[in-house]
């Protein structure tokens, strides 16, 4: 009798390493991850939110969402995401449970995205380049609900902000040969977008 693994077609040699080799996370990343997970566990009582309302395209959505989660954690805000692709069927990361948010918060964010005036909501739009990046290099003063729209990866820009640089160094710094680098996107992506086993 053939087992399930035996019945599964073999992966092409040029991509099989993706599923075998696990890249090491920076030494401080697990502490950072636990802090984010704890913040998310208590988010129902949160007073401040960062909500990602992404752009079209899976790749851009992943870049923008990863950056926005990072920003939420650095600002000590609860995180959620609106819209975007349905990843729950093929990813086993925490994103599915993070779609849920209080109805009042969701309604206010949705109204703001429809260009209505909502007193408690700010929108931050980050493009691939240009002046929108400059906002990230200083303290972000935002209302109770901050909606981020982006299809860009801006993690490295956040590391240049003096308010966040120490925490990011502790979480993402790792040795690479004779150098020490900030490995930001890799650990976040492996955690958030881990493929489902089924």
């Amino acid at each position: 009798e053939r087992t399930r693994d035996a019945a599964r077609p073999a992966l092409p040699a040029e991509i099989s390493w993706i599923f075998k080799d696990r890249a090491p996370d920076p030494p401080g990343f697990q502490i950072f991850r636990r802090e984010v997970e704890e913040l998310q566990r208590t988010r129902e009582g949160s007073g401040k939110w960062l909500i990602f309302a992404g752009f079209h395209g899976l790749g851009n959505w992943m870049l923008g969402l990863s950056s926005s989660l990072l920003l939420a954690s650095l600002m000590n805000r609860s995180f959620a995401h609106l819209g975007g692709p349905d990843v729950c069927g093929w990813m086993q990361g925490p994103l599915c449970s993070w779609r849920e948010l209080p109805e009042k918060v969701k309604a206010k964010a949705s109204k703001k995205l429809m260009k209505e005036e909502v007193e408690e909501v700010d929108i931050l739009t980050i493009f691939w380049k240009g002046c929108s990046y400059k906002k990230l290099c200083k303290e972000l003063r935002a209302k109770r609900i901050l909606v981020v729209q982006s299809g860009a990866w801006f993690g490295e820009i956040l590391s240049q902000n003096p308010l966040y640089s120490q925490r990011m160094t502790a979480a993402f710094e790792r040795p690479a040969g004779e150098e020490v680098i900030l490995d930001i996107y890799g650990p976040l992506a492996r955690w958030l977008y881990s493929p489902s086993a089924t």
Side-chain angles (χ1 to χ4, degrees):
E1 183 181 345
R2 297 171 69 190
T3 65
R4 184 176 177 183
D5 286 340
R8 183 178 296 150
L11 291 167
E14 61 270 18
I15 67 166
S16 61
W17 64 271
I18 296 173
F19 300 95
K20 292 179 181 176
D21 298 340
R22 182 162 180 84
D25 287 334
F29 178 71
Q30 290 304 317
I31 295 173
F32 176 86
R33 176 176 166 172
R34 285 196 297 271
E35 290 172 349
V36 173
E37 290 172 337
E38 181 57 31
L39 181 63
Q40 290 297 99
R41 270 193 289 273
T42 59
R43 68 193 191 126
E44 287 302 320
S46 172
K48 293 185 177 180
W49 287 84
L50 189 149
I51 300 170
F52 174 67
F55 287 3
H56 296 294
L58 178 61
N60 288 351
W61 181 84
M62 292 169 72
L63 292 172
L65 186 143
S66 303
S67 301
S68 298
L69 172 68
L70 179 60
L71 179 59
S73 65
L74 294 169
M75 295 179 74
N76 202 35
R77 285 174 174 254
S78 297
F79 176 79
H81 58 101
L82 287 174
D86 183 6
V87 299
C88 298
W90 54 278
M91 288 185 186
Q92 62 181 4
L95 294 178
C96 294
S97 61
W98 293 353
R99 292 185 90 129
E100 302 300 323
L101 67 163
E103 281 301 320
K104 288 183 179 179
V105 174
K106 184 177 181 178
K108 289 176 181 178
S110 298
K111 284 182 179 179
K112 188 72 172 182
L113 288 167
M114 297 296 290
K115 311 296 185 187
E116 296 183 32
E117 282 297 321
V118 184
E119 188 176 321
E120 296 177 82
V121 185
D122 280 331
I123 290 185
L124 175 64
T125 304
I126 304 295
F127 298 103
W128 281 99
K129 56 184 178 180
C131 62
S132 61
Y133 271 2
K134 294 179 182 177
K135 302 173 187 175
L136 303 172
C137 296
K138 57 186 179 181
E139 183 178 6
L140 280 171
R141 297 185 180 274
K143 296 176 182 176
R144 191 172 74 86
I145 302 169
L146 175 61
V147 179
V148 176
Q149 292 184 298
S150 183
W153 166 246
F154 51 84
E156 277 81 8
I157 304 296
L158 293 173
S159 70
Q160 297 172 28
N161 186 322
L163 295 171
Y164 307 144
S165 58
Q166 185 175 358
R167 188 173 177 208
M168 289 190 65
T169 297
F172 298 107
E173 190 175 78
R174 72 169 177 84
E178 297 181 359
E179 297 181 291
V180 175
I181 63 169
L182 281 183
D183 183 5
I184 307 170
Y185 186 72
L188 286 173
R190 287 190 290 273
W191 171 36
L192 297 175
Y193 311 123
S194 177
S196 174
T198 57

